[in-house]
Each structure stands twice: as structure tokens, then as C-alpha cells.
Amino acid sequence: MFLAETPRFSSPSLFHPSAKKSRPPAKNLALISQSFDENLIRRLKSLTPGADPPSISLSWLSLAVDLLTSTHADAELIISYLNISASDKSAISYLDESVKVLDICNSISSEIERLKHRRLLIHFILHLLTFSGEDRRSPAPENIRRARDSLNEYRTCSRGGGGGDSSKKRRSLEDSSILIRDLRIGNPPRGKISTVEKLLQHMMYGVGAVTVFIAGIVVSALSGSPAVMEIRVSGEFLWREAFNGLQTAVNGVIGRKGVYADESEALDEGLRKVGDVIARQEAFLVEGEMEKLGDAVKMLETVTEEFSDGLDRLSNGVNGFFRTVLSTRNALLGNFL
């Protein structure tokens, strides 16, 4: 888990101004803005390759977080090229709102660690139910009873189980949902402003929109609670169509089947099938039931591996995003005039 204390400063007056740069030509700024938009369009479209609506899996969530990371990294690169006034509202807003984003990352990381702990319990259950030897000897009755007890323990700490672990999960992710709702996306460029200010506002609006949207999806998929916000993007943004298309597709999935990640649902189903077999204790000596147990264990092994791979990818993605937001903040703070 990549947890760090989030910075609580945002005032540019705490930092010495960097060496003054020459103002980039307006033509170059227009090309930069267009490049940012085109990159965002390409990434948004990449989240629906041959799937409409997309599947909300842990692997897909990690790709969505990668999009966030790349978009914030683009912002950092552009910031390093600009002369930014310490009074620029978009810059100040990013410094303030990014603190909330870092808190959201910490909350998501905490939930991922909780899921990793539950994964250890599943591996223990699989160990108890191993069919050993070349003749695939069935597990001992004592191991089956221990596996049943471990399944009950798993259910207690799983979603909706009412245990302390579940309560911590709800509090943590509910706090994230509140932070996501409080995030300010910003406003499209309006009025008589400089070319640099126009570019910065244009870019920060895109960064804010995808951050609120994707952070909401991740929190929803891990918590089962609605955290996805409907965002209306005005027609002046080139990436509007790609964004709205993805938003509509994702909302279609959430409205149709709920918002738990696919691997989590498959894991729950695998555990349920194993539990159904071992719950019939009188069937332990019946060969047919042991064959059913073996099949259920094989299924659980498969879905556990898929869950584990997806969870690790998402964990790495959130850690990378956290670091990128910190880096972008530092670039912005170090670039004030």
C-alpha cells in the first residue's frame, strides 16, 4: 500500500519564484492545447475496445487509473512549459483539489489492502481443500470442517457482513465518495484572459472531469455504493463526445448490474459454490459430492488468481497515480512567477 501524508499547504507565497521564462508563442500554445485534447480522446476511446458497454473489472479499472495518471502527467509537462501567475484561479484550484485526490488515493489503497488480507484467507481455504497426490486424494474431514469455519469468517468480514472490517471499509470509502462529490471540476475558459490562462483553464477542466468521473467509478466498484457523478461537458471541448460516450456506457453497466467489479462477483460465486458443497456434512463420504467439491475448488482457484492479478494491477495503478499527482503539484508550485 502506498500511503503517505498528504501535503496541507497550497499557498504559493511559501515558495520562492522560479527564474522567469519567456512567454511561449500563441501558436505553440494552441498546438499544446490540441495535443492535450487529442491524447485525452485516444485514451477515453481505449477504455471501450470492442466492448459497449465496457466490463467493469479490476483490470479495466487499472486501465482507467492509468488514463488518469497519463492525463495528470500531461498536465505536469504543460505546466513546466508555461509562465503561470500565482493568482491564476485554475492553478490555485488544482493545488487545493489535488489534496482531496491524494486523500481519495489513500482511502482506495486502504480498501485494496483490506481485500489483500481477505485474499490470504481464501488461499488458506484453498490449501485446506487441496486434493493431494497423483490419485487426487480428497481433503481430510478435519480440513473440510476448518475450511467451513474459515468461510464463515470470510463472510463476516466481507461486504455487508456487519463485522468491524466491513464497517471500516464502509467508513473509508464513504469518506471518499464525499470527497469526490466535493471535487471542483472548474470552469471552461471565459472572458478576457491571457492565452496562457485560457490554456491552463482548458486543460484543468479536462483533468478535473476525468478525475471526478474515474475516481467515482473506482470507489463504486470497490464499495458497491453509487459514487459516479454525471458530468456535463460543453461542446467546445474536442474530447466531449468520447467522454460522454464512455460515461453513458459505464452508467449503463452500473444501472444494469450494480457496480461491484467483475472479479469480485466471480470470487463470491466461487466461494458460494464451495460453501454449498461443504455445508452438506453428511455428504463427505459420498464420492459424487467429493467430485463436486473438487470441481468447485478448481473454479475457486481460477477466479482467485484472476482476482489477485486484477487487484495487484489496480494497486500498482493507484500508487502510480498518487505519485504523479504529487509530482504535478510540485511542478505547479515550482513554476509560479
PDB file of all heavy atoms in Angstrom, residues 107 110-111 114-115 118 153-176 222-223 225 260:
ATOM      1  N   SER A 107      -7.479   6.378   0.617  1.00  0.00           N
ATOM      2  CA  SER A 107      -8.655   5.597   1.002  1.00  0.00           C
ATOM      3  C   SER A 107      -8.795   4.358   0.123  1.00  0.00           C
ATOM      4  O   SER A 107      -9.065   3.253   0.610  1.00  0.00           O
ATOM      5  CB  SER A 107      -9.909   6.466   0.897  1.00  0.00           C
ATOM      6  OG  SER A 107     -11.054   5.727   1.239  1.00  0.00           O
ATOM      7  N   SER A 110      -6.229   1.821   1.088  1.00  0.00           N
ATOM      8  CA  SER A 110      -6.607   1.115   2.320  1.00  0.00           C
ATOM      9  C   SER A 110      -7.595  -0.006   2.018  1.00  0.00           C
ATOM     10  O   SER A 110      -7.503  -1.101   2.585  1.00  0.00           O
ATOM     11  CB  SER A 110      -7.224   2.101   3.320  1.00  0.00           C
ATOM     12  OG  SER A 110      -6.278   3.053   3.743  1.00  0.00           O
ATOM     13  N   GLU A 111      -8.550   0.255   1.137  1.00  0.00           N
ATOM     14  CA  GLU A 111      -9.516  -0.778   0.769  1.00  0.00           C
ATOM     15  C   GLU A 111      -8.836  -1.917   0.018  1.00  0.00           C
ATOM     16  O   GLU A 111      -9.148  -3.094   0.231  1.00  0.00           O
ATOM     17  CB  GLU A 111     -10.637  -0.172  -0.085  1.00  0.00           C
ATOM     18  CG  GLU A 111     -11.605  -1.178  -0.683  1.00  0.00           C
ATOM     19  CD  GLU A 111     -12.341  -2.002   0.365  1.00  0.00           C
ATOM     20  OE1 GLU A 111     -12.290  -1.666   1.567  1.00  0.00           O
ATOM     21  OE2 GLU A 111     -12.969  -3.002  -0.031  1.00  0.00           O
ATOM     22  N   ARG A 114      -7.242  -4.132   2.468  1.00  0.00           N
ATOM     23  CA  ARG A 114      -8.244  -4.967   3.142  1.00  0.00           C
ATOM     24  C   ARG A 114      -8.589  -6.167   2.259  1.00  0.00           C
ATOM     25  O   ARG A 114      -8.717  -7.298   2.754  1.00  0.00           O
ATOM     26  CB  ARG A 114      -9.502  -4.134   3.413  1.00  0.00           C
ATOM     27  CG  ARG A 114     -10.514  -4.808   4.334  1.00  0.00           C
ATOM     28  CD  ARG A 114     -11.798  -4.002   4.400  1.00  0.00           C
ATOM     29  NE  ARG A 114     -12.551  -4.125   3.167  1.00  0.00           N
ATOM     30  CZ  ARG A 114     -13.415  -5.109   2.904  1.00  0.00           C
ATOM     31  NH1 ARG A 114     -13.625  -6.050   3.805  1.00  0.00           N
ATOM     32  NH2 ARG A 114     -14.053  -5.152   1.761  1.00  0.00           N
ATOM     33  N   LEU A 115      -8.719  -5.938   0.961  1.00  0.00           N
ATOM     34  CA  LEU A 115      -9.019  -7.039   0.039  1.00  0.00           C
ATOM     35  C   LEU A 115      -7.853  -8.023  -0.055  1.00  0.00           C
ATOM     36  O   LEU A 115      -8.057  -9.224  -0.200  1.00  0.00           O
ATOM     37  CB  LEU A 115      -9.354  -6.481  -1.345  1.00  0.00           C
ATOM     38  CG  LEU A 115     -10.661  -5.686  -1.437  1.00  0.00           C
ATOM     39  CD1 LEU A 115     -10.799  -5.043  -2.807  1.00  0.00           C
ATOM     40  CD2 LEU A 115     -11.861  -6.580  -1.133  1.00  0.00           C
ATOM     41  N   ARG A 118      -8.130 -10.319   2.851  1.00  0.00           N
ATOM     42  CA  ARG A 118      -9.151 -11.339   2.593  1.00  0.00           C
ATOM     43  C   ARG A 118      -8.628 -12.388   1.612  1.00  0.00           C
ATOM     44  O   ARG A 118      -8.969 -13.565   1.705  1.00  0.00           O
ATOM     45  CB  ARG A 118     -10.405 -10.673   2.028  1.00  0.00           C
ATOM     46  CG  ARG A 118     -11.184  -9.852   3.045  1.00  0.00           C
ATOM     47  CD  ARG A 118     -12.326  -9.109   2.397  1.00  0.00           C
ATOM     48  NE  ARG A 118     -13.254 -10.014   1.747  1.00  0.00           N
ATOM     49  CZ  ARG A 118     -14.179  -9.636   0.875  1.00  0.00           C
ATOM     50  NH1 ARG A 118     -14.275  -8.369   0.521  1.00  0.00           N
ATOM     51  NH2 ARG A 118     -14.993 -10.518   0.345  1.00  0.00           N
ATOM     52  N   GLU A 153     -15.801 -17.111   8.565  1.00  0.00           N
ATOM     53  CA  GLU A 153     -15.017 -15.936   8.956  1.00  0.00           C
ATOM     54  C   GLU A 153     -14.919 -14.953   7.796  1.00  0.00           C
ATOM     55  O   GLU A 153     -15.033 -13.731   7.981  1.00  0.00           O
ATOM     56  CB  GLU A 153     -13.618 -16.370   9.398  1.00  0.00           C
ATOM     57  CG  GLU A 153     -12.718 -15.203   9.797  1.00  0.00           C
ATOM     58  CD  GLU A 153     -11.312 -15.654  10.130  1.00  0.00           C
ATOM     59  OE1 GLU A 153     -11.090 -16.877  10.269  1.00  0.00           O
ATOM     60  OE2 GLU A 153     -10.429 -14.782  10.237  1.00  0.00           O
ATOM     61  N   TYR A 154     -14.726 -15.490   6.592  1.00  0.00           N
ATOM     62  CA  TYR A 154     -14.632 -14.636   5.402  1.00  0.00           C
ATOM     63  C   TYR A 154     -15.933 -13.853   5.198  1.00  0.00           C
ATOM     64  O   TYR A 154     -15.920 -12.661   4.915  1.00  0.00           O
ATOM     65  CB  TYR A 154     -14.338 -15.499   4.171  1.00  0.00           C
ATOM     66  CG  TYR A 154     -14.249 -14.717   2.882  1.00  0.00           C
ATOM     67  CD1 TYR A 154     -13.028 -14.225   2.445  1.00  0.00           C
ATOM     68  CD2 TYR A 154     -15.381 -14.466   2.117  1.00  0.00           C
ATOM     69  CE1 TYR A 154     -12.934 -13.497   1.275  1.00  0.00           C
ATOM     70  CE2 TYR A 154     -15.302 -13.741   0.943  1.00  0.00           C
ATOM     71  CZ  TYR A 154     -14.074 -13.264   0.524  1.00  0.00           C
ATOM     72  OH  TYR A 154     -14.004 -12.540  -0.641  1.00  0.00           O
ATOM     73  N   ARG A 155     -17.055 -14.558   5.349  1.00  0.00           N
ATOM     74  CA  ARG A 155     -18.340 -13.894   5.145  1.00  0.00           C
ATOM     75  C   ARG A 155     -18.560 -12.788   6.172  1.00  0.00           C
ATOM     76  O   ARG A 155     -19.169 -11.762   5.896  1.00  0.00           O
ATOM     77  CB  ARG A 155     -19.472 -14.916   5.223  1.00  0.00           C
ATOM     78  CG  ARG A 155     -19.454 -15.946   4.095  1.00  0.00           C
ATOM     79  CD  ARG A 155     -20.714 -16.802   4.130  1.00  0.00           C
ATOM     80  NE  ARG A 155     -20.670 -17.869   3.151  1.00  0.00           N
ATOM     81  CZ  ARG A 155     -20.436 -19.152   3.438  1.00  0.00           C
ATOM     82  NH1 ARG A 155     -20.230 -19.509   4.705  1.00  0.00           N
ATOM     83  NH2 ARG A 155     -20.405 -20.052   2.493  1.00  0.00           N
ATOM     84  N   THR A 156     -18.049 -12.994   7.384  1.00  0.00           N
ATOM     85  CA  THR A 156     -18.209 -11.999   8.439  1.00  0.00           C
ATOM     86  C   THR A 156     -17.512 -10.691   8.091  1.00  0.00           C
ATOM     87  O   THR A 156     -18.026  -9.605   8.361  1.00  0.00           O
ATOM     88  CB  THR A 156     -17.656 -12.536   9.771  1.00  0.00           C
ATOM     89  OG1 THR A 156     -18.389 -13.706  10.142  1.00  0.00           O
ATOM     90  CG2 THR A 156     -17.764 -11.489  10.870  1.00  0.00           C
ATOM     91  N   CYS A 157     -16.332 -10.804   7.458  1.00  0.00           N
ATOM     92  CA  CYS A 157     -15.562  -9.590   7.157  1.00  0.00           C
ATOM     93  C   CYS A 157     -15.775  -9.103   5.734  1.00  0.00           C
ATOM     94  O   CYS A 157     -15.153  -8.142   5.307  1.00  0.00           O
ATOM     95  CB  CYS A 157     -14.070  -9.820   7.404  1.00  0.00           C
ATOM     96  SG  CYS A 157     -13.294 -10.987   6.261  1.00  0.00           S
ATOM     97  N   SER A 158     -16.656  -9.773   4.988  1.00  0.00           N
ATOM     98  CA  SER A 158     -16.916  -9.347   3.615  1.00  0.00           C
ATOM     99  C   SER A 158     -17.964  -8.267   3.589  1.00  0.00           C
ATOM    100  O   SER A 158     -18.500  -7.871   4.623  1.00  0.00           O
ATOM    101  CB  SER A 158     -17.358 -10.532   2.757  1.00  0.00           C
ATOM    102  OG  SER A 158     -18.612 -11.020   3.199  1.00  0.00           O
ATOM    103  N   ARG A 159     -18.291  -7.787   2.421  1.00  0.00           N
ATOM    104  CA  ARG A 159     -19.242  -6.683   2.296  1.00  0.00           C
ATOM    105  C   ARG A 159     -20.597  -7.083   2.861  1.00  0.00           C
ATOM    106  O   ARG A 159     -21.096  -8.163   2.619  1.00  0.00           O
ATOM    107  CB  ARG A 159     -19.383  -6.259   0.837  1.00  0.00           C
ATOM    108  CG  ARG A 159     -19.872  -7.342  -0.108  1.00  0.00           C
ATOM    109  CD  ARG A 159     -20.017  -6.723  -1.485  1.00  0.00           C
ATOM    110  NE  ARG A 159     -20.547  -7.686  -2.437  1.00  0.00           N
ATOM    111  CZ  ARG A 159     -19.838  -8.266  -3.384  1.00  0.00           C
ATOM    112  NH1 ARG A 159     -18.558  -8.012  -3.482  1.00  0.00           N
ATOM    113  NH2 ARG A 159     -20.402  -9.095  -4.245  1.00  0.00           N
ATOM    114  N   GLY A 160     -21.160  -6.185   3.633  1.00  0.00           N
ATOM    115  CA  GLY A 160     -22.472  -6.423   4.226  1.00  0.00           C
ATOM    116  C   GLY A 160     -22.460  -7.411   5.363  1.00  0.00           C
ATOM    117  O   GLY A 160     -23.508  -7.790   5.880  1.00  0.00           O
ATOM    118  N   GLY A 161     -21.252  -7.855   5.785  1.00  0.00           N
ATOM    119  CA  GLY A 161     -21.207  -8.862   6.822  1.00  0.00           C
ATOM    120  C   GLY A 161     -21.455  -8.324   8.213  1.00  0.00           C
ATOM    121  O   GLY A 161     -21.700  -9.074   9.129  1.00  0.00           O
ATOM    122  N   GLY A 162     -21.330  -7.019   8.365  1.00  0.00           N
ATOM    123  CA  GLY A 162     -21.605  -6.403   9.669  1.00  0.00           C
ATOM    124  C   GLY A 162     -20.445  -6.453  10.632  1.00  0.00           C
ATOM    125  O   GLY A 162     -20.549  -5.984  11.749  1.00  0.00           O
ATOM    126  N   GLY A 163     -19.301  -7.019  10.214  1.00  0.00           N
ATOM    127  CA  GLY A 163     -18.159  -7.084  11.105  1.00  0.00           C
ATOM    128  C   GLY A 163     -17.395  -5.779  11.133  1.00  0.00           C
ATOM    129  O   GLY A 163     -17.655  -4.849  10.377  1.00  0.00           O
ATOM    130  N   GLY A 164     -16.395  -5.697  12.017  1.00  0.00           N
ATOM    131  CA  GLY A 164     -15.613  -4.488  12.134  1.00  0.00           C
ATOM    132  C   GLY A 164     -14.877  -4.149  10.858  1.00  0.00           C
ATOM    133  O   GLY A 164     -14.761  -2.992  10.481  1.00  0.00           O
ATOM    134  N   ASP A 165     -14.339  -5.176  10.179  1.00  0.00           N
ATOM    135  CA  ASP A 165     -13.616  -4.950   8.941  1.00  0.00           C
ATOM    136  C   ASP A 165     -14.520  -4.313   7.899  1.00  0.00           C
ATOM    137  O   ASP A 165     -14.145  -3.391   7.183  1.00  0.00           O
ATOM    138  CB  ASP A 165     -13.072  -6.285   8.424  1.00  0.00           C
ATOM    139  CG  ASP A 165     -12.135  -6.107   7.257  1.00  0.00           C
ATOM    140  OD1 ASP A 165     -11.200  -5.316   7.373  1.00  0.00           O
ATOM    141  OD2 ASP A 165     -12.362  -6.768   6.223  1.00  0.00           O
ATOM    142  N   SER A 166     -15.751  -4.814   7.816  1.00  0.00           N
ATOM    143  CA  SER A 166     -16.714  -4.260   6.866  1.00  0.00           C
ATOM    144  C   SER A 166     -17.071  -2.828   7.225  1.00  0.00           C
ATOM    145  O   SER A 166     -17.239  -1.980   6.348  1.00  0.00           O
ATOM    146  CB  SER A 166     -17.971  -5.132   6.835  1.00  0.00           C
ATOM    147  OG  SER A 166     -18.933  -4.629   5.953  1.00  0.00           O
ATOM    148  N   SER A 167     -17.195  -2.532   8.512  1.00  0.00           N
ATOM    149  CA  SER A 167     -17.534  -1.178   8.942  1.00  0.00           C
ATOM    150  C   SER A 167     -16.430  -0.197   8.584  1.00  0.00           C
ATOM    151  O   SER A 167     -16.688   0.924   8.134  1.00  0.00           O
ATOM    152  CB  SER A 167     -17.773  -1.147  10.447  1.00  0.00           C
ATOM    153  OG  SER A 167     -18.860  -1.980  10.804  1.00  0.00           O
ATOM    154  N   LYS A 168     -15.165  -0.603   8.751  1.00  0.00           N
ATOM    155  CA  LYS A 168     -14.045   0.251   8.378  1.00  0.00           C
ATOM    156  C   LYS A 168     -14.068   0.528   6.884  1.00  0.00           C
ATOM    157  O   LYS A 168     -13.808   1.638   6.431  1.00  0.00           O
ATOM    158  CB  LYS A 168     -12.722  -0.409   8.774  1.00  0.00           C
ATOM    159  CG  LYS A 168     -12.479  -0.477  10.265  1.00  0.00           C
ATOM    160  CD  LYS A 168     -11.164  -1.180  10.559  1.00  0.00           C
ATOM    161  CE  LYS A 168     -10.941  -1.294  12.073  1.00  0.00           C
ATOM    162  NZ  LYS A 168      -9.678  -2.029  12.364  1.00  0.00           N
ATOM    163  N   LYS A 169     -14.372  -0.509   6.114  1.00  0.00           N
ATOM    164  CA  LYS A 169     -14.463  -0.349   4.664  1.00  0.00           C
ATOM    165  C   LYS A 169     -15.501   0.689   4.306  1.00  0.00           C
ATOM    166  O   LYS A 169     -15.250   1.600   3.512  1.00  0.00           O
ATOM    167  CB  LYS A 169     -14.810  -1.684   4.010  1.00  0.00           C
ATOM    168  CG  LYS A 169     -15.331  -1.568   2.575  1.00  0.00           C
ATOM    169  CD  LYS A 169     -16.002  -2.846   2.156  1.00  0.00           C
ATOM    170  CE  LYS A 169     -16.788  -2.659   0.867  1.00  0.00           C
ATOM    171  NZ  LYS A 169     -17.488  -3.868   0.455  1.00  0.00           N
ATOM    172  N   ARG A 170     -16.683   0.572   4.882  1.00  0.00           N
ATOM    173  CA  ARG A 170     -17.759   1.496   4.545  1.00  0.00           C
ATOM    174  C   ARG A 170     -17.382   2.926   4.902  1.00  0.00           C
ATOM    175  O   ARG A 170     -17.609   3.848   4.131  1.00  0.00           O
ATOM    176  CB  ARG A 170     -19.043   1.077   5.259  1.00  0.00           C
ATOM    177  CG  ARG A 170     -19.707  -0.165   4.664  1.00  0.00           C
ATOM    178  CD  ARG A 170     -21.125  -0.298   5.183  1.00  0.00           C
ATOM    179  NE  ARG A 170     -21.167  -0.475   6.624  1.00  0.00           N
ATOM    180  CZ  ARG A 170     -21.136  -1.661   7.231  1.00  0.00           C
ATOM    181  NH1 ARG A 170     -21.043  -2.770   6.515  1.00  0.00           N
ATOM    182  NH2 ARG A 170     -21.183  -1.755   8.547  1.00  0.00           N
ATOM    183  N   ARG A 171     -16.793   3.119   6.098  1.00  0.00           N
ATOM    184  CA  ARG A 171     -16.423   4.471   6.508  1.00  0.00           C
ATOM    185  C   ARG A 171     -15.385   5.064   5.563  1.00  0.00           C
ATOM    186  O   ARG A 171     -15.491   6.219   5.154  1.00  0.00           O
ATOM    187  CB  ARG A 171     -15.883   4.462   7.946  1.00  0.00           C
ATOM    188  CG  ARG A 171     -16.957   4.257   9.009  1.00  0.00           C
ATOM    189  CD  ARG A 171     -16.408   4.659  10.361  1.00  0.00           C
ATOM    190  NE  ARG A 171     -15.232   3.889  10.715  1.00  0.00           N
ATOM    191  CZ  ARG A 171     -15.257   2.732  11.357  1.00  0.00           C
ATOM    192  NH1 ARG A 171     -16.408   2.193  11.705  1.00  0.00           N
ATOM    193  NH2 ARG A 171     -14.135   2.103  11.669  1.00  0.00           N
ATOM    194  N   SER A 172     -14.376   4.269   5.214  1.00  0.00           N
ATOM    195  CA  SER A 172     -13.295   4.769   4.383  1.00  0.00           C
ATOM    196  C   SER A 172     -13.783   5.154   2.996  1.00  0.00           C
ATOM    197  O   SER A 172     -13.498   6.243   2.501  1.00  0.00           O
ATOM    198  CB  SER A 172     -12.197   3.700   4.279  1.00  0.00           C
ATOM    199  OG  SER A 172     -11.159   4.133   3.435  1.00  0.00           O
ATOM    200  N   LEU A 173     -14.529   4.264   2.359  1.00  0.00           N
ATOM    201  CA  LEU A 173     -14.974   4.535   1.002  1.00  0.00           C
ATOM    202  C   LEU A 173     -16.118   5.543   0.969  1.00  0.00           C
ATOM    203  O   LEU A 173     -16.267   6.277  -0.011  1.00  0.00           O
ATOM    204  CB  LEU A 173     -15.378   3.233   0.310  1.00  0.00           C
ATOM    205  CG  LEU A 173     -14.204   2.282   0.045  1.00  0.00           C
ATOM    206  CD1 LEU A 173     -14.687   1.019  -0.631  1.00  0.00           C
ATOM    207  CD2 LEU A 173     -13.134   2.951  -0.802  1.00  0.00           C
ATOM    208  N   GLU A 174     -16.927   5.590   2.013  1.00  0.00           N
ATOM    209  CA  GLU A 174     -17.949   6.638   2.070  1.00  0.00           C
ATOM    210  C   GLU A 174     -17.298   8.018   2.189  1.00  0.00           C
ATOM    211  O   GLU A 174     -17.775   8.988   1.594  1.00  0.00           O
ATOM    212  CB  GLU A 174     -18.889   6.391   3.250  1.00  0.00           C
ATOM    213  CG  GLU A 174     -19.903   5.276   2.993  1.00  0.00           C
ATOM    214  CD  GLU A 174     -20.709   4.948   4.241  1.00  0.00           C
ATOM    215  OE1 GLU A 174     -20.487   5.612   5.278  1.00  0.00           O
ATOM    216  OE2 GLU A 174     -21.551   4.041   4.173  1.00  0.00           O
ATOM    217  N   ASP A 175     -16.202   8.101   2.936  1.00  0.00           N
ATOM    218  CA  ASP A 175     -15.470   9.365   3.007  1.00  0.00           C
ATOM    219  C   ASP A 175     -14.959   9.763   1.628  1.00  0.00           C
ATOM    220  O   ASP A 175     -14.992  10.940   1.251  1.00  0.00           O
ATOM    221  CB  ASP A 175     -14.293   9.246   3.978  1.00  0.00           C
ATOM    222  CG  ASP A 175     -14.745   9.166   5.430  1.00  0.00           C
ATOM    223  OD1 ASP A 175     -15.916   9.505   5.703  1.00  0.00           O
ATOM    224  OD2 ASP A 175     -13.932   8.750   6.271  1.00  0.00           O
ATOM    225  N   SER A 176     -14.486   8.778   0.861  1.00  0.00           N
ATOM    226  CA  SER A 176     -14.017   9.055  -0.491  1.00  0.00           C
ATOM    227  C   SER A 176     -15.157   9.535  -1.377  1.00  0.00           C
ATOM    228  O   SER A 176     -14.986  10.439  -2.202  1.00  0.00           O
ATOM    229  CB  SER A 176     -13.379   7.806  -1.113  1.00  0.00           C
ATOM    230  OG  SER A 176     -12.120   7.560  -0.546  1.00  0.00           O
ATOM    231  N   LEU A 222     -15.460  -0.777  -5.803  1.00  0.00           N
ATOM    232  CA  LEU A 222     -14.915  -1.396  -4.599  1.00  0.00           C
ATOM    233  C   LEU A 222     -15.894  -1.396  -3.441  1.00  0.00           C
ATOM    234  O   LEU A 222     -15.788  -2.226  -2.538  1.00  0.00           O
ATOM    235  CB  LEU A 222     -13.625  -0.672  -4.177  1.00  0.00           C
ATOM    236  CG  LEU A 222     -12.431  -0.781  -5.131  1.00  0.00           C
ATOM    237  CD1 LEU A 222     -11.256   0.020  -4.592  1.00  0.00           C
ATOM    238  CD2 LEU A 222     -12.024  -2.236  -5.359  1.00  0.00           C
ATOM    239  N   SER A 223     -16.842  -0.471  -3.452  1.00  0.00           N
ATOM    240  CA  SER A 223     -17.738  -0.318  -2.309  1.00  0.00           C
ATOM    241  C   SER A 223     -19.146  -0.826  -2.559  1.00  0.00           C
ATOM    242  O   SER A 223     -19.860  -1.179  -1.626  1.00  0.00           O
ATOM    243  CB  SER A 223     -17.816   1.155  -1.900  1.00  0.00           C
ATOM    244  OG  SER A 223     -18.498   1.917  -2.892  1.00  0.00           O
ATOM    245  N   SER A 225     -21.378   1.125  -3.554  1.00  0.00           N
ATOM    246  CA  SER A 225     -22.220   2.304  -3.330  1.00  0.00           C
ATOM    247  C   SER A 225     -22.063   3.266  -4.499  1.00  0.00           C
ATOM    248  O   SER A 225     -20.968   3.397  -5.049  1.00  0.00           O
ATOM    249  CB  SER A 225     -21.814   3.017  -2.031  1.00  0.00           C
ATOM    250  OG  SER A 225     -21.939   2.147  -0.932  1.00  0.00           O
ATOM    251  N   TYR A 260     -20.182  -3.643  -8.379  1.00  0.00           N
ATOM    252  CA  TYR A 260     -19.040  -4.416  -7.905  1.00  0.00           C
ATOM    253  C   TYR A 260     -18.212  -4.894  -9.087  1.00  0.00           C
ATOM    254  O   TYR A 260     -18.753  -5.267 -10.127  1.00  0.00           O
ATOM    255  CB  TYR A 260     -19.495  -5.618  -7.079  1.00  0.00           C
ATOM    256  CG  TYR A 260     -19.802  -5.283  -5.647  1.00  0.00           C
ATOM    257  CD1 TYR A 260     -21.085  -5.443  -5.129  1.00  0.00           C
ATOM    258  CD2 TYR A 260     -18.812  -4.798  -4.791  1.00  0.00           C
ATOM    259  CE1 TYR A 260     -21.380  -5.131  -3.820  1.00  0.00           C
ATOM    260  CE2 TYR A 260     -19.101  -4.482  -3.473  1.00  0.00           C
ATOM    261  CZ  TYR A 260     -20.381  -4.652  -2.995  1.00  0.00           C
ATOM    262  OH  TYR A 260     -20.663  -4.325  -1.700  1.00  0.00           O
TER     263      TYR A 260
END
